[in-house]
Amino acid sequence: MTKLLEIEGLQTHFFTRDGVAKAVDGVSLSLDRGEILGLVGESGSGKSVTGFSILGLVDPPGRVVGGRIVFDGADLVAGGERMMRGLRGRRIAMIFQDPMMTLNPVLRIDTQMIETVRAHADVSRAAARERAREALVRVGISSPDERLESYPHQFSGGMRQRVAIAIALLHEPDLIIADEPTTALDVTIQAQILSEVQTLCAEAGTALIWITHDLAVVSGLADRLAVMYAGRIIEAGPTAGIIARPAHPYTKGLIESVPQGKRHGTLLKQIGGMTPSLLHLPRGCKFAPRCPRADAACDPEPPLAEIAAGRGVRCVHPHLEAEESAAS
Amino acid sequence: MIVYLVRRFGQSLLAIVAMAILVFVGVYAIGNPVDVLINPEASQAEIAATTARLGLDKPLWQQFGIFVWNAAQGDLGTSFVYGRPALEIIVDRLPATMELALVALILSVGLGVPLGVWAGLRPESVAGRTIMGGSILGFSLPNFWQGMLLILVFAVLLGWLPAGGRGETVEVLGMRLSFLTLDGLSHLILPAINLALFKMSLIIRLARANTREVCLQDYVKFARAKGLSGRRVVMVHILKNIMIPVVTIIGLELGSMVAFAIVTETVFAWPGMGKLLIDSINLLDRPVIVAYLMLTVLIIVTINLVVDVIYSLLDPRIRLSEVKG
Amino acid sequence: MTDSIASDLEPVGTPAPARVDHPAKRVAKQFVEDPVAVVGLVLFLLVALVALLAPVLAPQNPYDLAQLDIMDGGLPPGEASFGTGMTYWLGTDTQGRDMVSAIMYGLRISLFVATVSLGLAITIGTVVGVTAAYFGGRIDSLIMRIVDLQLSFPAILIALILLALLGRGVDKVVLALVIVQWAYYARTVRGSAIVERRKDYIDAARCLALSDRRIMFRHLLPNCVPPLIVVATVQIAQAIALEATLSFLGVGVPITEPSLGLLIANGYDYLLSGRYWISLFPGIALVVTIIAINLVGDRLRDVLNPRLSS
């Protein structure tokens, strides 16, 4: 069976007054049906732009300038707006970061849900409304009839995100792109939403791309991880393997900067320096200026090389298993 | 909601009272009210009679009471020029002004909103830039100058439309209206365009700015991510959001249209109350000026009140928070 | 975009040294990137120069009756005087007044009225606005009530009524324009000052027992300057237009000191009879002035509004 989604060499650039910002520059990744991929990176690493590129929703001055995005056999970059619109909301849905901002404040919830149903299905208003109601029930919203007639501002943040998730699930899509959907929520709500999304996706066999800067959140959720830095994937592979033995110095840094119970009392490690400006990227490996292992070999930039089955890393001096055991 | 309405109504009343005080101070305290309100050609006996009727010999606060009392009963003095109650003369001219203002308002909204949204969706396009450039001109060039150019081009050079006057009118419900006859309509077009241009530019700018702002919102992107057609995103998601400020401004501008009609009516010799005001200023017919002012203030305040109520009905955030509160 | 990167990450190393230009320099730099705005600025400077130097530049003093020749009345553009032989490039009015000179002097009066009223209105508006923002509470709500009340009435109506009561005169027009305009500045200044007022450093300054006046004008005021400049450029164009309108309606400046608006009004009667130049050329001068200011103002707004310029 073919992959659900295959991205090859995606380049999305923003043509700003100060120059071209290469927000995404040569990203390749793939996704099976029902698989959950964690796309991890700091702000500005290009992870959200990758998500928007898949949906064809990159706003000017941004533009996909290269690469292919093949979804279920069809090239989305070449497909054009008409095809994209047919896919959006029906086969590929998206959940945004800030639930306060994603629902239109002047439209009632039922309007916003019914229009989504009717955008892709030729059904009566009543039937569409019934589907909306069911979707609300599915995401655990009580008294859905009353809720349908409310406006977004009458909901709490967590409830709004549930509505957004319900909207994303309306057409039982093959793929949901979730752009930091829990970042703006309280920790307890975060956990609830997380487990609900996981359950719902497992039930329906929906693949999920979970975009986040928070390794802790995604490590319990994703089958595989892809770590992004400065518009590139610098490490990818099965979640367990990466968490246990990160190969890229940046990934290692990220993991070590996550607070953990057992390291209580010890100082958290930090990654020195700052993410580079996308307008003025360094030559060679983009992480080199901040990397403790960097040397002359880091220029030119290394390719994403396979170090084990399904594990790729873009580094000339990766932390390898053999080396780890030798050191200990 | 009711609390809100009552409070809003109180504010309107306050505005009217404030303006009444201002007019009163202007007429009674700055000038000599005898000069201002009594025909200079009146005889001694008439002066004495009017002085007594208006209570000009009484203390200022009592005079104010009389002024308000008379005004409330519709007595704003008698025109020196026409020898009729000032208010009556103004009300006679009211339909002409309202007709002009309404037609101009419809023109400015009907054209302004679509043009503004268009320019907002494609700010960098040639059309977007042209619309914006045009609106800057419409916004910044003085109204009378635009009117003059309209006359110069369409009346003097091309000879297509009359340069002034109201043309043939039809009486409907006691009001003489121009737009029902072909001749009246031809007289109405230029002044209506002239009066509309300024507001239209304002609405274009507002609609454009709001469209741009709304377009950046996540909910528009989310609406697109739901697979909605571009048409629905614009017509429902964007338009409904920009209509709130647009409706506000439309209402407020209807009030100011009545005021701006002063200029247009003067340029096009349109026999409305604005032209009457300028004529009265030139003839020093003060009671008419006072009557015009009070009536216009009343109209503007009422319009503002109605707009605010509509506004609160349109915006669920305001409406519902008031219900709760 | 770079901002969010920097703010999201806790830098431990030394941050890259940011280039810090003086704000005015940054604004000037961005301003000249738009050639249209530069044209506007040059035009405006030219207009201002003509107005300033009108007595030197004008071929005749249009209000010295001794220099006028009624024989030259109503000459079309390009005709020569019957008496002195000088060419009237833009024609003459019915009294034989050279339109070039009349326009130069008219421009002078128009700009004088606008700038003086602008200066006074800004001063009053700023003081009132900062006071309202700084003290807050009842003072603030009282002041803002008045401002809102005034702004709910069209400027032209207020100005017209004032002048109808006061009579004609340059000083009276200035007064009317100040009364009409101060509220815009008060609202603008108060709006930005109140945002700044809520920041912690103002409380810190108060704890240091700095005087109210010092905090208001040294700390609050500078933050209000960019929006103030934007409003001022819009308002000065509006002031010029409003003065012209009032004078056109016959309630503005007196006949002895005609501004552009009054020149247009004087020629208006002859417009229909074909002597278009008496009205048209002063009108063009007025329009060029207003457009030039608007071009500058639009660019300034884009440059000074960080939300739109990014």
Side-chain angles (χ1 to χ4, degrees), chain A residues 52 57 59 85 88-89 94 96 101-107 111-112 115-116 119-120 151 153-154 167, chain B residues 217-219 221-222 224-230 232 236-238 240-241 244 315-317 319-320 324:
Chain A
F52 285 123
L57 287 179
D59 285 327
R85 186 158 70 72
R88 284 183 206 133
M94 188 152 184
F96 287 58
M101 305 300 292
T102 45
L103 298 173
N104 193 322
V106 299
L107 297 177
T111 314
Q112 304 194 42
E115 68 180 7
T116 315
H120 300 295
Y151 285 93
H153 69 270
Q154 293 167 293
I167 289 176
Chain B
Q217 301 292 323
D218 272 356
Y219 56 75
K221 214 168 196 180
F222 187 63
R224 289 170 65 201
K226 292 195 298 190
L228 302 184
S229 64
R232 178 153 180 107
V236 176
H237 285 260
I238 293 178
K240 190 134 192 213
N241 272 287
I244 293 169
D315 190 342
R317 283 164 295 191
R319 182 174 68 214
L320 295 165
K324 278 185 213 154

Side-chain angles (χ1 to χ4, degrees), chain C residues 125-188:
Chain C
T126 304
V127 171
V128 171
V130 171
T131 308
Y134 181 73
F135 290 105
R138 276 166 185 251
I139 297 179
D140 182 35
S141 57
L142 178 71
I143 290 176
M144 290 325 287
R145 226 1 105 69
I146 296 172
V147 167
D148 285 345
L149 183 66
Q150 191 189 323
L151 291 182
S152 68
F153 294 102
I156 186 158
L157 187 67
I158 298 176
L160 207 56
I161 293 310
L162 282 169
L163 290 171
L165 295 170
L166 296 172
R168 285 182 162 201
V170 170
D171 51 339
K172 285 157 188 159
V173 175
V174 169
L175 178 69
L177 289 183
V178 170
I179 291 177
V180 162
Q181 292 187 85
W182 74 275
Y184 291 99
Y185 300 108
R187 191 171 61 175
T188 307

Side-chain angles (χ1 to χ4, degrees), chain C residues 69-250:
Chain C
D69 185 349
I70 196 75
M71 285 289 290
D72 288 347
L75 290 182
E79 291 281 314
S81 163
F82 291 108
T84 61
M86 79 176 257
T87 311
Y88 297 120
W89 292 111
L90 299 180
T92 60
D93 70 3
T94 47
Q95 292 167 37
R97 189 171 284 131
D98 172 37
M99 286 315 292
V100 175
S101 310
I103 289 172
M104 285 178 168
Y105 275 79
L107 202 57
R108 193 176 160 84
I109 292 166
S110 289
L111 284 185
F112 172 81
V113 169
T115 35
V116 171
S117 67
L118 177 85
L120 289 173
I122 284 188
T123 311
I124 296 171
T126 304
V127 171
V128 171
V130 171
T131 308
Y134 181 73
F135 290 105
R138 276 166 185 251
I139 297 179
D140 182 35
S141 57
L142 178 71
I143 290 176
M144 290 325 287
R145 226 1 105 69
I146 296 172
V147 167
D148 285 345
L149 183 66
Q150 191 189 323
L151 291 182
S152 68
F153 294 102
I156 186 158
L157 187 67
I158 298 176
L160 207 56
I161 293 310
L162 282 169
L163 290 171
L165 295 170
L166 296 172
R168 285 182 162 201
V170 170
D171 51 339
K172 285 157 188 159
V173 175
V174 169
L175 178 69
L177 289 183
V178 170
I179 291 177
V180 162
Q181 292 187 85
W182 74 275
Y184 291 99
Y185 300 108
R187 191 171 61 175
T188 307
V189 168
R190 185 248 182 200
S192 16
I194 214 150
V195 172
E196 210 58 29
R197 169 75 188 82
R198 297 203 185 100
K199 296 190 177 160
D200 288 343
Y201 77 93
I202 297 291
D203 285 333
R206 286 183 124 172
C207 288
L208 290 173
L210 296 185
S211 76
D212 286 344
R213 219 178 63 199
R214 191 178 161 82
I215 297 173
M216 275 159 57
F217 290 98
R218 299 285 300 190
H219 294 272
L220 286 183
L221 191 58
N223 292 290
C224 312
V225 170
L228 202 56
I229 292 174
V230 172
V231 175
T233 50
V234 176
Q235 282 300 318
I236 191 163
Q238 294 287 315
I240 292 173
L242 186 55
E243 182 278 322
T245 305
L246 293 168
S247 296
F248 176 81
L249 292 174

Side-chain angles (χ1 to χ4, degrees), chain A residues 39 43 239 323:
Chain A
L39 196 54
S43 310
T239 308
E323 171 200 353

